[in-house]
């Protein structure tokens, strides 16, 4: 393959990031809309704007700071992305998943992915944190399309347990110790950027989706391709279209993210040492 292939580009970006810090994180985080504040609390932090990282996609969505923070949460070294690229910004699925490739080449073996999502399941309330247990990819894109690079992973990766059950159990246990309700559910990923219609939400409920959003799935597919374990948590920033008699807005999404910030950070802080222990 050429010197500009995906593997080589990911390797260069990884080496660049590692040259900015003495830390060697084995856990990567992607923090979604309104959920990026956790990375501000990291200590010994190196902050690298995406624009400086070779080949890295930039996020243009409001509520996404667009930088990688490599730092420590307590004793645990992590690489945390404040914001991500989305298909609706015009990026390909391969570009959206590129940061996962970079994590993998940096030595990351587990990722924690977070996002803002619309709640389809009527038992959720606005502000609920939901553990993603599976997904339905309705984006019409897949980051593995094209020639497979065997150095990254298999041509046909298994997705039976895309979301680590063990990590899900850890998250549930830590949430209950913190007395935080943590539901679980199936995440349907759509292309966006328009929100869904009420008819689309009824359809998604019928096919088994509990949550809807516009991210995460391409990242999960690339992570599983590379053998990286996944924990994913949604914040139900709004009830999905047609459930309440009100229009949806990105402002509401950001405001709800801000409101659950404390709970969300507490959960991440509790989960991280247990995932680090799993990797050591
Ligand atoms: N739909 C799709 N994506 C979203 C939503 C939604 O209702 N809320 C936050 N992200």
């Amino acid at each position: 393959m050429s010197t500009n292939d995906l593997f080589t580009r990911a390797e260069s970006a990884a080496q660049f990031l590692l040259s900015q810090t003495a830390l060697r994180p084995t856990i990567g985080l992607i923090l979604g809309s309104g959920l990026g504040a956790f990375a501000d609390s990291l200590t010994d932090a190196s902050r690298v704007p995406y624009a400086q990282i070779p080949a890295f996609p930039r996020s243009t969505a409001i509520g996404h700071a667009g930088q990688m923070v490599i730092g420590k949460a307590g004793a645990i070294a992590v690489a945390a992305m404040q914001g991500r690229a989305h298909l609706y910004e015009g990026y390909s699925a391969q570009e959206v998943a590129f940061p996962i490739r970079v994590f993998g080449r940096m030595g990351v073996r587990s990722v924690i992915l977070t996002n803002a999502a619309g709640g389809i399941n009527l038992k959720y309330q606005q502000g609920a944190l939901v553990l993603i247990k599976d997904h339905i990819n309705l984006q019409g894109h897949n980051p593995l399309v094209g020639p497979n690079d065997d150095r990254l992973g298999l041509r046909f990766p298994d997705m039976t347990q895309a979301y680590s059950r063990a990590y899900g159990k850890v998250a549930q246990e830590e949430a209950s110790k913190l007395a935080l309700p943590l539901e679980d559910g199936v995440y349907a990923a759509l292309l966006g950027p328009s929100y869904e219609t009420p008819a689309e939400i009824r359809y998604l409920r019928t096919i088994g989706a509990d949550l809807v959003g516009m991210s995460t799935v391409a990242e999960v597919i690339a992570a599983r391709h590379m053998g990286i374990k996944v924990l994913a948590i949604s914040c139900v920033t709004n009830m999905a279209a047609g459930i309440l008699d009100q229009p949806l807005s990105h402002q509401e999404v950001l405001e709800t993210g801000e409101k659950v910030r404390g709970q969300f950070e507490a959960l991440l802080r509790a989960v991280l040492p247990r995932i680090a222990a799993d990797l050591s």
Side-chain angles (χ1 to χ4, degrees):
M1 287 196 208
S2 79
T3 51
N4 258 341
D5 63 25
L6 174 61
F7 183 93
T8 310
R9 280 183 281 126
E11 184 66 28
S12 319
Q15 292 313 322
F16 172 77
L17 283 164
L18 292 177
S19 75
Q20 307 294 303
T21 174
L23 300 175
R24 291 295 174 264
T26 55
I27 303 176
L29 291 97
I30 301 185
L31 304 167
S33 296
L35 304 171
F38 173 75
D40 295 330
S41 69
L42 298 176
T43 56
D44 299 331
S46 304
R47 297 189 163 76
V48 189
Y50 297 158
Q52 289 177 15
I53 310 172
F56 218 74
R58 315 201 191 151
S59 58
T60 60
I62 296 165
H64 290 258
Q67 61 179 3
M68 172 83 76
V69 185
I70 304 177
K72 287 167 84 173
I76 317 291
V78 299
M81 287 173 56
Q82 288 179 306
R84 54 158 61 87
H86 302 83
L87 287 163
Y88 65 70
E89 294 172 86
Y91 291 109
S92 68
Q94 196 185 82
E95 288 169 318
V96 166
F98 184 69
I100 298 289
R101 304 306 193 179
V102 176
F103 276 157
R105 298 311 306 158
M106 288 170 72
V108 161
R109 286 187 289 136
S110 299
V111 288
I112 304 180
L113 308 177
T114 72
N115 61 45
I120 296 175
N121 190 320
L122 298 175
K123 78 176 187 213
Y124 301 157
Q125 284 179 359
Q126 192 177 30
L129 297 183
V130 181
L131 176 73
I132 301 180
K133 62 180 178 186
D134 205 346
H135 73 224
I136 303 174
N137 182 6
L138 297 173
Q139 296 193 301
H141 295 268
N142 188 304
L144 309 186
V145 168
N148 188 61
D149 188 333
D150 296 337
R151 292 171 297 179
L152 294 170
L154 299 173
R155 170 77 291 187
F156 299 110
D158 175 54
M159 294 290 287
T160 316
Q161 218 198 105
Y163 299 82
S164 161
R165 260 182 242 157
Y167 287 180
K169 193 158 167 278
V170 164
Q172 296 284 14
E173 285 168 11
E174 295 304 322
S176 75
K177 282 191 215 159
L178 292 163
L180 282 181
L182 182 65
E183 311 274 3
D184 64 14
V186 173
Y187 177 89
L190 273 65
L191 185 57
S194 47
Y195 289 116
E196 301 70 36
T197 62
E200 286 166 344
I201 294 303
R202 289 193 298 276
Y203 157 75
L204 292 173
R205 185 179 294 122
T206 306
I207 65 170
D210 300 298
L211 300 154
V212 60
M214 307 172 191
S215 69
T216 308
V217 158
E219 296 153 9
V220 172
I221 293 169
R224 295 312 299 144
H225 184 231
M226 298 179 90
I228 295 172
K229 289 201 211 171
V230 176
L231 172 67
I233 299 172
S234 286
C235 170
V236 176
T237 51
N238 55 281
M239 292 313 287
I243 295 179
L244 306 175
D245 191 19
Q246 62 188 47
L248 273 46
S249 78
H250 189 54
Q251 192 53 33
E252 179 185 26
V253 168
L254 297 181
E255 281 169 14
T256 311
E258 184 57 35
K259 276 187 207 143
V260 301
R261 178 177 162 171
Q263 291 186 6
F264 185 70
E265 289 192 22
L267 182 60
L268 285 181
R269 282 190 180 280
V271 163
L272 279 170
R274 295 200 48 195
I275 291 188
D278 169 63
L279 295 176
S280 63

